[in-house]
Amino acid sequence: MDITNIKTLGDLRKSGYKNRTIKQEIRENLIGKIKAKENTFPGIVGYEETVIPDTERALLSRHNILFLGLRGQAKTRMARQMVDLLDEYIPTVEGSEINDDPLRPISKFAKDLVALRGDDTPIRWVHRSERYGEKLATPDVSVADLIGDIDPIKAANLKLSFADEMVIHYGIIPRSNRGIFVINELPDLQARIQVALFNILQEGDIQIRGFKLRMPLDILFVFTANPEDYTNRGSIVTPLKDRIESQILTHYPKTIETSLEITEQEADVLEEQTKRITISDLVKRLIEQVAFEARNNEYVDKKSGVSARLTIAAYENAVSSAERRAIIHNEKQTQVWISDLVGIIPSITGKIELVYEGEQEGPYQVAVNLLEKSIRSQFILYFPNPEAVKKKRATGKATQQAKTEDENPYKAITRWFDGGNHLDLLLDSDDAGKLASLYKVEGLHGFVKKYYPQANDKENALLMEFVLHGLASYSLISKKMLDGKIEFKDLMGSMMNFGAMNYEDDLTEDDFK
């Protein structure tokens, strides 16, 4: 039987329909999903062992919830997905502003209509998508916006006294009766407005002006907030926090793999871009590593956090950087090169809050440094750690016989630069031009083939470029980002302008005795 065919209160009673509170409804539907082994929050990645179980426990306990965490941690998304735990349809008194339950009306309008029409009271079926209300807390939000106020125009039109309950204009909270209501960024709500929520959360009723209302609202409240010590605009008043039964701490992805899954799920890349541009797992990991580096960087404000939106925007910009090159050179296919990651810098600068020292350094330079640190961190997962070679030399443990390419696998590459050679990689170069430039570096192709013999030509070329950026990040060669190009040179010659001098390979400790 299609319950939406029921049109009157009498027919609703005959059908045996039983009303439930919103929290009981969600609880029972959640139990059904858990028993059926269904994913209760699809699309939420990285919270499987932490936030989702905490949220399920809170909903089973019929609690109001506060999601507390830094920006970009899917707090609002978690709240919005709770709509899927509601019944598909519920009956309401037709014409009611606050979704009155026909079997238990609470507003004056609904009570009067049921008293007048009885079993002939008309019924309207409300879909679960209509049972969700959300308000972003801003300093200009008033009690009237949230709860309600006297409407003088309604009073005039209906020719009613201001003492009549029918002149009330209900705010967004009463209009969310029998549904879910979310207040985002709760600390931004003025303290006096937060106080107005006390009665609703504790006693479940509202107070409007001088009316003696005892209107028991049926609402699941979900609040989101950044940690109180982050914002200077306000905080959650203690009595309100005390009335929110469950406070759930959210967090950033704990692994690169989780972060990768989130970015690939959320990045808005067009189909025409995916057909033309390929992006390797290496480049994806470099992008994700930027966020991990930023969250631990001394120049970035840890209290502010680094949103997952950074890597999502960076991923989109990396693809667009490659696409732009392909358009310029009329290439049908290309890949995202390491040098294309220069294009993600605008995605970084706008999404990190800097401490004082970071402001002095400048957002652009901080972003460049984060990208370099990302390359440095990922490089040793693919190739031998250059620090190991440098430490052996520094401690004097390396003998002349040990100075072979097995002990220093990068020797052939650095020797080419030490010989006075340099390499310019043009940012807008076509693929053929980039390949020709990379193959100029002696020993580079052979080095990559030694460690990745199964790599195809495209992968091989990307790894060759990655090696150059990696060696620069470990100060074995120098790298300068100039207008339109990246220049790789001998480190010592670049620093001291003494020309080509092979300090690393030709000098030993004995030369300094």
Side-chain angles (χ1 to χ4, degrees), residues 172-210:
I172 189 171
I173 290 179
R175 289 173 183 271
S176 299
N177 183 43
R178 301 178 71 203
I180 300 168
F181 183 70
V182 178
I183 297 182
N184 282 317
E185 306 301 340
L186 182 60
D188 289 348
L189 204 63
Q190 292 184 45
R192 64 184 181 85
I193 311 299
Q194 293 184 38
V195 170
L197 301 176
F198 287 2
N199 246 47
I200 301 175
L201 288 175
Q202 189 65 44
E203 283 76 28
D205 55 34
I206 60 173
Q207 296 178 350
I208 298 177
R209 293 289 181 174

Side-chain angles (χ1 to χ4, degrees), residues 280 282-283 335-339 383 423 425 431-439 444-445 448-449 452 455-469:
S280 68
L282 166 60
V283 172
Q335 66 175 334
V336 180
W337 294 86
I338 309 297
S339 51
F383 296 105
L423 176 67
L425 284 182
D431 286 0
K434 190 155 291 188
L435 281 170
S437 297
L438 290 170
Y439 275 96
L444 183 57
H445 177 259
V448 170
K449 270 299 178 186
Y452 294 94
N456 60 37
D457 292 343
K458 185 182 292 186
E459 294 167 343
N460 196 59
L462 180 66
L463 288 167
M464 288 168 67
E465 187 191 21
F466 183 43
V467 169
L468 295 180
H469 286 273

Side-chain angles (χ1 to χ4, degrees), residues 91-196:
T92 64
V93 175
E94 188 172 349
S96 169
E97 296 178 86
I98 62 169
N99 295 327
D100 274 287
D101 184 343
L103 300 175
R104 193 175 59 185
I106 59 173
S107 71
K108 187 174 188 301
F109 166 82
K111 288 176 180 177
D112 290 349
L113 185 61
V114 170
L116 177 66
R117 303 281 299 272
D119 284 350
D120 292 330
T121 302
I123 301 297
R124 183 174 87 90
W125 291 89
V126 177
H127 190 259
R128 59 185 164 212
S129 60
E130 301 177 65
R131 299 170 62 194
Y132 178 88
E134 184 177 300
K135 182 67 176 174
L136 175 63
T138 55
D140 63 329
V141 173
S142 66
V143 174
D145 293 333
L146 292 179
I147 300 176
D149 206 344
I150 293 173
D151 186 346
I153 296 176
K154 183 187 281 190
N157 288 339
L158 297 176
K159 297 181 180 179
L160 296 173
S161 162
F162 281 179
D164 194 312
E165 196 176 314
M166 290 294 291
V167 304
I168 294 175
H169 173 78
Y170 293 108
I172 189 171
I173 290 179
R175 289 173 183 271
S176 299
N177 183 43
R178 301 178 71 203
I180 300 168
F181 183 70
V182 178
I183 297 182
N184 282 317
E185 306 301 340
L186 182 60
D188 289 348
L189 204 63
Q190 292 184 45
R192 64 184 181 85
I193 311 299
Q194 293 184 38
V195 170

Side-chain angles (χ1 to χ4, degrees), residues 43-60:
I44 303 295
V45 180
Y47 284 172
E48 293 84 359
E49 305 299 327
T50 53
V51 177
I52 290 177
D54 285 344
T55 304
E56 290 176 345
R57 283 187 280 267
L59 294 175
L60 290 173

